[in-house]
């Protein structure tokens, strides 16, 4: 039982490049989330998917897109990376909206 | 949207003392309030949570209180130990939309 997994662990991009962060969970959870964490700012919600087939914007969605591929997988895409998107990205999942969120190990992204 | 403020940003206590972290939120429709602990370089992990129909919850040395009227909630850690040293985050959620506080760095001195 791996929980929540994320790939890659580290990534360096040049400004303007695109990439997709992958997330998968094996807990049969309905809800999945993408957060970014910057120093001194806590975690900020980018997008969430309350259930398979639905996605909604969070606090900081600009510059990102998401896809809930199936119940297990939720990907985050940066179409044209900017230095302001340098951050640690965490994926999380939960059984339902008022339940504990389980976090993945994070992806450290640097945009130069 | 929801705004969560957390205080203090840093807290240093002696081993065995109590630690209290306070948060306020702005959206009266928020109905779920978790607390997460994050050690350096690790992922956040839930330590306790409370829902809006409950005023207080306790789990061994950790307790959380919620005042919905005043829109604030607090984390209490008693008999602190060096392994409690970490960054603690409060959060407030309406359905799946969760907003986090900026965090409190707790240091427990042996």
């Amino acid at each position: 039982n791996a929980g929540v997994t994320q790939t890659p662990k580290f990534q360096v991009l040049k400004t303007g490049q695109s990439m997709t962060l992958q997330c998968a969970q094996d807990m049969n959870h309905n809800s999945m989330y993408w957060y970014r964490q910057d120093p001194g700012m806590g975690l900020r919600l980018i997008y969430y998917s309350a259930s398979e087939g639905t996605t909604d914007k969070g606090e900081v969605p600009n510059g990102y897109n998401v896809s809930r591929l199936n119940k297990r997988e939720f990907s985050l895409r940066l179409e044209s990376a900017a230095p302001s998107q340098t951050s640690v990205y965490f994926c999380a999942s939960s059984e339902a909206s008022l339940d504990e969120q389980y976090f993945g190990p994070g992806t450290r992204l640097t945009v130069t | 949207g929801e705004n969560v403020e957390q205080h203090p940003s840093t807290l240093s206590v002696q081993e065995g003392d109590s630690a209290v972290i306070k948060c306020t939120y702005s959206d009266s429709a928020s109905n779920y309030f978790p607390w997460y602990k994050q050690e350096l370089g690790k992922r956040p992990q839930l330590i306790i949570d409370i829902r809006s129909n409950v005023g207080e919850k306790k789990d061994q040395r950790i307790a959380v209180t919620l005042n919905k009227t005043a829109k604030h909630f607090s984390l209490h850690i008693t008999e602190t130990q060096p392994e409690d040293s970490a960054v603690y985050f409060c959060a407030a959620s309406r359905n799946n939309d969760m907003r986090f506080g900026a965090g409190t760095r707790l240091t427990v001195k042996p």
Side-chain angles (χ1 to χ4, degrees):
Chain A
N1 196 340
V4 180
T5 56
Q6 293 182 235
T7 54
K9 287 188 168 54
F10 302 93
Q11 184 71 48
V12 179
L13 292 178
K14 293 189 189 311
T15 297
Q17 287 185 319
S18 62
M19 79 160 295
T20 299
L21 281 64
Q22 306 286 354
C23 174
Q25 52 92 7
D26 62 1
M27 296 174 281
N28 202 34
H29 284 170
N30 292 303
S31 302
M32 298 186 73
Y33 313 81
W34 275 106
Y35 294 91
R36 59 177 289 174
Q37 184 173 33
D38 302 302
M41 295 189 72
L43 294 105
R44 291 184 291 170
L45 182 64
I46 304 171
Y47 271 93
Y48 64 93
S49 170
S51 60
E52 187 178 355
T54 69
T55 60
D56 284 286
K57 295 178 181 179
E59 185 180 0
V60 289
N62 291 345
Y64 305 95
N65 284 300
V66 291
S67 295
R68 183 75 183 265
L69 305 167
N70 49 54
K71 192 171 185 179
R72 289 188 64 247
E73 298 171 289
F74 189 39
S75 63
L76 178 72
R77 182 158 177 85
L78 287 71
E79 288 292 351
S80 179
S84 61
Q85 294 178 305
T86 292
S87 189
V88 179
Y89 291 84
F90 286 100
C91 176
S93 71
S94 65
E95 170 63 28
S97 61
L98 302 188
D99 290 328
E100 174 180 1
Q101 292 187 17
Y102 293 83
F103 285 80
T107 295
R108 188 173 294 275
L109 175 68
T110 302
V111 183
T112 61
Chain B
E2 173 71 279
N3 183 44
V4 178
E5 294 191 0
Q6 182 171 348
H7 299 281
S9 57
T10 60
L11 180 59
S12 182
V13 300
Q14 209 64 38
E15 182 177 359
D17 287 350
S18 294
V20 180
I21 302 170
K22 298 184 178 184
C23 289
T24 61
Y25 62 99
S26 60
D27 186 352
S28 57
S30 289
N31 51 7
Y32 177 59
F33 306 90
W35 287 86
Y36 283 85
K37 176 183 179 182
Q38 187 176 30
E39 296 175 351
L40 190 62
K42 301 285 182 65
R43 70 192 80 184
Q45 292 195 297
L46 182 81
I47 55 170
I48 195 166
D49 58 9
I50 192 166
R51 290 167 179 79
S52 59
N53 57 344
V54 175
E56 185 173 351
K57 183 176 177 180
K58 190 173 181 181
D59 182 4
Q60 299 183 333
R61 297 187 296 110
I62 296 173
V64 58
T65 58
L66 171 65
N67 183 328
K68 284 220 77 180
T69 303
K71 289 189 278 191
H72 66 71
F73 54 115
S74 302
L75 177 72
H76 304 251
I77 305 174
T78 59
E79 301 171 25
T80 54
Q81 301 164 3
E83 51 265 40
D84 293 331
S85 295
V87 179
Y88 292 80
F89 294 97
C90 65
S93 176
R94 177 168 67 170
N95 300 323
N96 294 90
D97 191 340
M98 186 169 294
R99 306 296 169 98
F100 283 78
T104 297
R105 182 173 300 279
L106 173 65
T107 303
V108 180
K109 300 177 190 173

